[in-house]
Every structure is written in C-alpha cells, then in structure tokens.
Amino acid sequence: MAQPRFVVLLSALAVIILCPPSVRAQTIDLAGRWTLNRELSQFPREIGFDADLGSTAGPAAAPSSRGRRGGRGAAAGGGTAGFTAARESEEDAQRLQLLTGEVRNPPAHLTIAEDAGAVTMTDDGGQSRTFHPDGRQEELHIGNVPVAVTARREPDQLVVLYKVEQGRQLRYTYARTPGSSQLVVEVQFVQRRGGDHVRRVYEPASATEATTTTQTSIPASAKPGTGQSTGSAPGSGPGGVPGVGSGAPRQTFNQAPGAELKGLKNLGIVVEDLSSQATACGLSHGAIEAAIAKRLSDAGFSVRRNSDEDTYLYVNIITTGPTNGLCISRYDAFLYTHTTATLSYQQAPVLVQVALLHKGGLVGGASSSHAEGVLRGLQDYVDQFTTRIRDVNK
C-alpha cells in the first residue's frame, strides 16, 4: 500500500520542480494604462546612492561622513584625508546618472502590456522596455548605455533589478494594492550599507482621462453648484460619458481636437527649485524662469510668474553631476489646469489637476555648456506648446 502513495508524492514533486517559477508563483495583472498620482506618491528632495569612498590609507581607516545623495564626488562637508572617490568608468557614470534621474522623475503616464513570456512598459515619451520575467539576466540599452537587467515574478509582484555598477543595483517592485485598483511601484537603491527607498502610486488612466476630458468642456450650466446634476446617467461610463453599446444620449461637450486649449490666454509659471547639483552644472532658476516668461510673452500670453492658479506651465529639472566634468539633466514641461470631475469611484465631484500638455527630454554634456542645452530644450517645448495653442485658436 505504501508504493502507490509514494508514486503520487513523487509525481506531485515532479510537477512542482518542472513547473517554471513564473507559473508556480501567484501572478498579478499589471496590464493597462496608468497615471501617476503625485499626491499619494513620495518625492523626497534628495535620493540616490551614497558616494562610494575607497581607502588609500590602509584597512583601519573608515569614511568620516556620508556622501551627497546622487553624487559621485567627495563626501559632503569634506572628507578625511587619504580617501578618494572610487574609480568608475565613464559608462558607469552615465548609467548611474541616467537610472538615478529616472527614479527622481518618474513617468507621469505608464502603459503596461503583458503576455505569457514578456512584460512591455511604455512611458509617456513613447520609450518602451520589454522584460522577460524568467530570472535570467538580459541586456537593455538606455540611450547609448547598456544595462544588465533581471526580471522575475514573485507572489503578487513583479521585480525588475537593474545592475548599475559593481555593488549597486536598482530594484523596482510592481504590485497591485489589495482591494483597490492602484499600481504601486517601489524603488530601492541597493548597496552595501543599505539604500534609499521611494514609493510611487499609479491609478488607472482610462477613468481619469475620460472624466477630466469630459468635464473640462461641459457648459457652465451643467457644472457642480449650478443646480444641475453631473452624475452619470444609467448605462453611462465614468464622468457621464456613455459606455460602449449604451443607448443613453451622449452628453454634450466639445469633441474637437485641442478643444481644451481654446480661449487660453493667461498662463502662470512655476519653475521647481533646483538642486545643488543643478547649480553646480550651471543652471539658474532665475534665468530659466525669465527665459520662459519672455518666450510666452512674445507669443502673446499674459504671464504671471510663480503662480500655480488656474492654468500654468510647470517646469521640473532633475540633474546629476558633475561627474568627471559630465552633467546629465532630465527636464520636463507640463501645462496644468484644474477642473471639477466626478470620478468613477466617488459620488460627489472633486477638484482635480489635469495635464493638458507634456514634453520631457534628457540632455548630457560638459558642465560648461550644460545649462545652455537644458534651456534650449525647454524653450523648444514652450514653442511647441504655444504653436499648438495658437493653431487651435485660429
């Protein structure tokens, strides 16, 4: 009688061994279009790897202080004599700066597609990366820099590990929050003495975008506070937009391309404070704000500086360096406005922030010319925005 029981146990064990980890583990569905919720996400002022200090004074010595976050130079406040920054190649420096910049400035929108053997993620700039979550190392290229990446599925999450350089990794964990529709992205800087950690929260983009697009152009008589209901009609989708196959009458709103930009004449400007690294690379908050204000004024807009009321242009710049004379900046320009919207999971309308336009880029080069490259890129984005607004209002 013992032999059949042994055979059954052996067969079950064989199924467990032969079944790949991605099948054995409980998988989650990450597929969809996601929008970053900045209010629920963490945006620490300083985040990155510690300065990697190597000793030339013998094994008994130890670093006296911690290096500046994200930097690769001497420790903040000066270091102990006999210690110098660990050697690294130019490729290592570029890889570190590019990957750190991505953590500091995550994509506002993320599209994830999944199939049996691959996960493809596309950011709001149209850049895609495909991971094969089988636990094997593969090589991706970020710009012109090769990066070793390992992806694997764990129970209830997807883990993507970027090898930055010797002893340093970036660990991304993608998971769905139990009981909600949120996508949570945890990022950890993995190094010998522990590392920084940041948490980002994404929400489904379809409901948010459909709602805000509809509410932006609803006639004033139909907006909250006027005595007319803004709730969804039976059979309608989020925010009152009729669902597919619904027989409900379509709510009246302007569906023309670029309708949300019609009548736009006044703009505020908010330039995010620059880090000490950006200043060291030659960037100036005042110069950037003045140049953008002039660009908008020349295009015929009434400009209010340091204003985030109503509709405004928001500029954010994340800089790493200078390392070996090299600076890298991620710069983004957003055209934001505010409106009220009835979200799919709430009854009453709420005030929401809407990104009307967005452009972002990456520039790297010598510190002597770095500021000029960043400013030129931002001015080009402002010109694209003003041209689009002007074309809509012809």
Side-chain angles (χ1 to χ4, degrees), residues 33 204-216 237-241 253 341-342:
R33 299 178 63 238
S206 55
T208 304
E209 290 175 353
T211 302
T212 54
T213 300
T214 302
Q215 295 291 339
T216 300
V241 179
F253 65 97
T342 302

Side-chain angles (χ1 to χ4, degrees), residues 159-357:
V159 178
V160 179
L161 204 62
Y162 293 85
K163 183 176 180 182
V164 181
E165 57 183 352
Q166 186 66 34
R168 291 180 169 181
Q169 296 177 324
L170 270 176
R171 176 188 170 102
Y172 280 76
T173 302
Y174 300 84
R176 296 288 297 275
T177 302
S180 80
S181 59
Q182 294 175 339
L183 170 69
V184 178
V185 182
E186 306 268 359
V187 188
Q188 183 176 1
F189 290 78
V190 181
Q191 55 189 10
R192 284 187 295 273
R193 296 187 297 274
D196 293 337
H197 177 273
V198 67
R199 184 175 188 265
R200 303 280 161 64
V201 177
Y202 286 82
E203 296 180 336
S206 55
T208 304
E209 290 175 353
T211 302
T212 54
T213 300
T214 302
Q215 295 291 339
T216 300
S217 303
I218 291 177
S221 60
K223 288 186 177 181
T226 61
Q228 187 167 342
S229 173
T230 60
S232 301
S236 66
V241 179
V244 177
S246 169
R250 185 176 296 275
Q251 190 174 25
T252 302
F253 65 97
N254 192 341
Q255 301 182 57
E260 68 277 10
L261 305 175
K262 191 77 172 178
L264 186 56
K265 298 178 180 178
N266 303 318
L267 286 176
I269 298 178
V270 175
V271 178
E272 192 68 57
D273 291 341
L274 300 177
S275 66
S276 57
Q277 292 173 309
T279 303
C281 287
L283 296 172
S284 166
H285 183 280
I288 294 171
E289 186 180 66
I292 292 177
K294 184 178 186 306
R295 215 75 168 191
L296 291 173
S297 297
D298 291 346
F301 289 93
S302 175
V303 179
R304 302 184 306 277
R305 294 196 188 185
N306 198 30
S307 171
D308 61 355
E309 298 180 2
D310 300 325
T311 305
Y312 63 100
L313 184 72
Y314 172 77
V315 175
N316 185 40
I317 305 172
I318 304 296
T319 303
T320 56
T323 302
N324 299 327
L326 177 69
C327 295
I328 295 180
S329 288
R330 165 77 192 200
Y331 55 93
D332 287 83
F334 294 86
L335 186 60
Y336 280 128
T337 193
H338 295 90
T339 187
T340 54
T342 302
L343 304 179
S344 61
Y345 49 87
Q346 295 181 352
Q347 296 295 322
V350 295
L351 182 66
V352 295
Q353 180 176 265
V354 183
L356 300 175
L357 297 171

